[in-house]
């Protein structure tokens, strides 16, 4: 018998699942080529789900359901709320683009986006290895279909095949690692796994063997070096409306399962996985920034930028435990800074890809850096939004990206460890190198002659959301305290249970 607590823990997920099925059926009767009815119903559903998640998160309560297989806590609910808002924004930006390219002949863009979001929810709520894996598969299968949604586009189909093959490999790595941990500990429950590992009665070699595959699978999902090979090809080959989807909300889910698996479940092995994360972070910062310099395709450049940005997230995650000692302040500073970083990165990514979508028009993909030439003369507003995003990604004050990087670096330096301080210095040097390719795009927008004299126009909803999106990147950089406090409170509540 399923109790009321179980239903309460997954109530937003149930609403999302039911409405996704309803919308898929309702869409059969929609004849508008822009799927207006489907779009409106999808946005209303997502707004309700986001409100539910915000209400759950604000309560600060933590409860478990379905035999401890799912958990509802402040960190998870805030991440799910932000993920829902992210999908809403991506659909606002992507709908005109998708309509011009025949991607709205059916309602698959909306229903697949909702099922992908449901996978994000299940991953974030998972307190059991199987639940996390089921959420991961729902997310990835929906993502594969979204990348291939433009059926008549050879490049998109090729990107979907690459994504499918490498995604299957990543899932195999993660599943094998989880199976090793299950074999060693005898439990799929993350809490029970923690107790078994902490008992010290399990052979360390077996645990580390499983841990290596788990970290490799997680590194695939966030695109960390050397498991980054799918990111540039998929970002470039996928329709831009899909690129913005797979480059935003899934990052929040990946962060959540790293906290659930590595911190909640495998904290006694922190010395081992911290070394792995350090190597991944160094490789991501180095390869991501250096490879981005050579790119002329804007989407590919942002893909390598993503790899470098994930390096900073990994730096935040590895600085929570020092020499195997768990300090409450260090844990709060490290994991809250990583959460703040991933949230602000997603916010910035939405606006930057939103500009690319805005400049694209029927028969023309605005994907090359040269396509932004003279954007300031065509539209000072949109050039300003893009410049704010690029400054933020580069870590230039007063944008939110600067404070996000500063928070991660402070967490590293506060540890007092020579290795972590060295990593902080390395990250700063890599950020200086990265500033080159961001500022190059700003130079093209403001100082190069425009390729066309036509002004940039956008639907009212796109214009409003994009303006607010860009403004938040600046405002949160000036007053980051509120979001940082929210992240700290959410992390503390999640790890206290």
């Amino acid at each position: 018998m399923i109790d009321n607590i179980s239903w309460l823990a997954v109530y937003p997920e149930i609403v999302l699942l039911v409405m996704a099925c309803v919308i898929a059926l309702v869409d059969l009767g929609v004849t508008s080529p822009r799927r207006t009815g489907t779009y409106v119903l999808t946005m209303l559903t997502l707004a309700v789900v986001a409100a539910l998640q915000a209400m759950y998160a604000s309560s600060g309560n933590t409860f478990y359901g379905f035999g401890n297989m799912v958990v509802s806590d402040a960190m998870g609910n805030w991440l799910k709320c932000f993920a829902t808002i992210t999908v809403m924004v991506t659909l606002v930006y992507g709908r005109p683009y998708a309509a011009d390219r025949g991607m709205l002949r059916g309602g698959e863009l909306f229903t697949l986006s909702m099922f992908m979001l449901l996978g994000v929810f299940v991953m974030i709520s998972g307190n059991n290895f199987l639940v996390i894996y089921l959420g991961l598969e729902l997310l990835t299968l929906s993502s594969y279909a979204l990348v291939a949604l433009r059926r008549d586009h050879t490049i998109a189909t090729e990107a979907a095949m690459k994504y499918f093959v490498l995604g299957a490999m990543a899932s195999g790595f993660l599943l094998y690692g989880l199976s090793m941990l299950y074999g060693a500990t005898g439990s799929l429950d993350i809490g029970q796994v923690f107790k078994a590992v902490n008992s010290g009665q399990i052979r360390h070699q077996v645990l580390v063997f499983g841990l290596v595959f788990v970290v490799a699978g997680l590194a695939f999902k966030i695109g960390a070096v050397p498991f980054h090979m799918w990111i540039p090809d998929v970002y470039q080959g996928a329709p831009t409306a899909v690129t913005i989807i797979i480059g935003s909300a899934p990052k929040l889910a990946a962060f959540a399962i790293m906290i659930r698996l590595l911190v909640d479940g495998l904290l006694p092995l922190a010395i081992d996985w911290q070394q792995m994360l350090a190597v991944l972070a160094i490789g991501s910062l180095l390869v991501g920034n250096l490879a981005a310099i050579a790119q002329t395709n804007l989407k590919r450049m942002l893909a390598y930028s993503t790899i470098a940005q994930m390096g900073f997230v990994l730096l935040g995650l590895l600085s929570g435990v020092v020499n195997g000692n768990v300090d409450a302040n260090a844990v709060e500073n490290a994991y809250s800074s990583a959460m703040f970083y991933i949230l602000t990165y997603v916010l910035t990514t939405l606006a930057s890809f939103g500009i690319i979508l805005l400049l694209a028009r029927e028969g023309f993909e605005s994907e090359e850096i040269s396509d932004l030439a003279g954007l300031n003369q065509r539209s000072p507003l949109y050039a300003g939004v893009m410049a704010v995003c690029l400054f933020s990604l580069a870590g230039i004050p007063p944008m939110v990206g600067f404070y996000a990087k500063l928070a991660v670096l402070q967490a590293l330096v506060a540890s007092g460890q020579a290795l972590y301080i060295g990593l902080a210095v390395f990250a700063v040097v890599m950020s200086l190198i990265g500033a080159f390719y961001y500022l190059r795009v700003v130079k093209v927008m403001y100082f190069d002659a425009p390729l066309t004299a036509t002004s940039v126009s956008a639907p009212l909803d796109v214009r409003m959301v994009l303006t607010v999106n860009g403004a938040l990147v600046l405002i949160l950089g000036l007053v980051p305290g509120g979001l940082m406090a929210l992240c700290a409170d959410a992390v503390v509540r999640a790890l206290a249970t």
Side-chain angles (χ1 to χ4, degrees):
M1 182 176 179
I2 299 175
D3 56 30
N4 291 330
I5 292 295
S6 295
W7 289 116
L8 190 63
V10 295
Y11 188 66
E13 284 85 347
I14 293 172
V15 172
L16 183 61
L17 173 61
V18 171
M19 289 306 300
C21 297
V22 169
I23 289 170
L25 293 173
V26 170
D27 182 73
L28 297 175
V30 176
T31 58
S32 169
R34 300 183 75 86
R35 323 305 291 186
T36 304
T38 308
Y39 172 72
V40 171
L41 191 55
T42 300
M43 297 301 282
L44 288 175
T45 300
L46 294 177
V48 170
V49 171
L52 283 172
Q53 297 291 7
M55 182 180 68
Y56 274 40
S58 299
S59 69
N61 297 324
T62 299
F63 45 87
Y64 297 83
F66 297 97
N68 282 345
M69 288 196 296
V70 297
V71 56
S72 174
D73 58 17
M75 183 191 74
N77 289 321
W78 277 124
L79 287 173
K80 287 187 280 188
C81 176
F82 291 130
T84 307
I85 295 171
T86 295
V87 172
M88 293 177 68
V89 172
T90 59
L91 292 179
V92 171
Y93 292 160
R95 181 171 166 244
Y97 175 97
D100 290 341
R101 285 153 183 79
M103 295 168 61
L104 295 185
R105 287 175 289 192
E108 294 92 345
L109 176 64
F110 304 111
T111 53
L112 285 172
S113 296
M114 294 179 75
F115 281 118
M116 186 212 72
L117 180 62
L118 181 61
V120 169
F121 281 12
V122 175
M123 287 174 67
I124 292 174
S125 297
N127 193 48
N128 181 285
F129 289 165
L130 282 181
V131 174
I132 289 175
Y133 187 74
L134 287 173
L136 176 65
E137 287 305 293
L138 179 56
L139 165 64
T140 52
L141 289 174
S142 301
S143 300
Y144 303 151
L146 281 169
V147 174
L149 194 56
R150 196 173 174 188
R151 304 175 184 86
D152 57 350
H153 197 247
T154 306
I155 297 177
T157 305
E158 179 186 347
M161 290 298 295
K162 290 178 180 177
Y163 192 15
F164 174 74
V165 172
L166 294 175
M169 185 187 301
S171 297
F173 270 68
L174 183 61
L175 186 60
Y176 185 71
L178 294 177
S179 68
M180 289 293 297
L181 294 176
Y182 168 66
T185 62
S187 177
L188 295 171
D189 184 273
I190 290 178
Q192 295 301 318
V193 168
F194 173 83
K195 292 178 181 178
V197 175
N198 200 39
S199 68
Q201 298 177 358
I202 303 173
R203 290 183 60 188
H204 187 73
Q205 293 88 342
V206 177
L207 291 173
V208 172
F209 189 74
L211 179 64
V212 168
F213 282 94
V214 168
V215 172
L218 295 175
F220 259 111
K221 294 306 174 185
I222 66 171
V225 173
F227 308 104
H228 66 290
M229 63 286 292
W230 64 274
I231 292 246
D233 289 339
V234 173
Y235 271 44
Q236 180 182 3
T240 310
V242 175
T243 301
I244 190 175
I245 294 175
I246 63 176
S248 52
K251 294 293 188 290
L252 302 179
F255 168 80
I257 61 170
M258 292 186 81
I259 292 290
R260 302 283 191 218
L261 292 176
L262 299 182
V263 181
D264 285 348
L266 302 173
L267 191 62
L269 300 176
I271 293 179
D272 299 297
W273 56 255
Q274 281 177 318
Q275 296 175 21
M276 300 178 202
L277 295 189
V279 174
L280 294 173
I282 292 171
S284 299
L285 287 167
L286 185 65
V287 173
N289 284 308
L290 293 181
I293 294 175
Q295 306 306 314
T296 57
N297 182 281
L298 185 56
K299 287 167 66 176
R300 202 170 182 87
M301 188 202 83
L302 290 174
Y304 281 107
S305 164
T306 295
I307 295 168
Q309 301 292 337
M310 290 304 103
F312 263 96
V313 175
L314 292 173
L315 289 179
L317 289 170
L318 68 85
S319 59
V321 181
V322 181
N323 293 331
N325 299 316
V326 180
D327 178 77
N329 289 331
V331 167
E332 177 183 342
N333 291 337
Y335 302 139
S336 63
S337 68
M339 182 176 173
F340 182 87
Y341 198 102
I342 200 78
L343 289 175
T344 54
Y345 162 75
V346 169
L347 176 70
T348 310
T349 296
L350 289 174
S352 56
F353 276 101
I355 293 293
I356 298 175
L357 283 166
L358 181 67
L359 296 178
R361 52 188 182 274
E362 190 171 359
F364 175 73
E365 301 284 343
S366 180
E367 294 185 0
E368 299 297 321
I369 294 176
S370 58
D371 293 333
L372 270 63
L375 179 59
N376 182 57
Q377 300 177 39
R378 299 171 59 199
S379 174
L381 171 63
Y382 300 134
V385 171
M386 190 65 172
V388 165
C389 293
L390 293 169
F391 287 147
S392 180
L393 291 170
I396 297 175
M399 311 308 166
V400 70
F402 167 76
Y403 187 83
K405 284 180 168 58
L406 180 63
V408 169
L409 295 175
Q410 284 178 332
L412 282 169
V413 173
S415 68
Q417 297 295 301
L419 173 62
Y420 289 176
I421 295 174
L423 286 174
V425 173
F426 175 76
V428 171
V429 173
M430 288 297 103
S431 294
L432 292 174
I433 294 174
F436 168 78
Y437 57 85
Y438 293 121
L439 296 178
R440 179 181 61 182
V441 180
V442 175
K443 174 259 179 188
V444 169
M445 290 193 300
Y446 281 87
F447 298 105
D448 287 12
L451 301 178
T452 176
T454 58
S455 60
V456 181
S457 60
L460 179 61
D461 57 343
V462 175
R463 191 161 61 248
M464 290 176 59
V465 173
L466 191 56
T467 303
V468 172
N469 195 168
L472 283 174
V473 175
L474 176 59
I475 293 170
L476 288 175
L478 296 172
V479 283
L483 181 58
M484 193 69 205
L486 182 148
C487 293
D489 179 70
V491 166
V492 168
R493 289 179 182 274
L495 299 181
T497 56

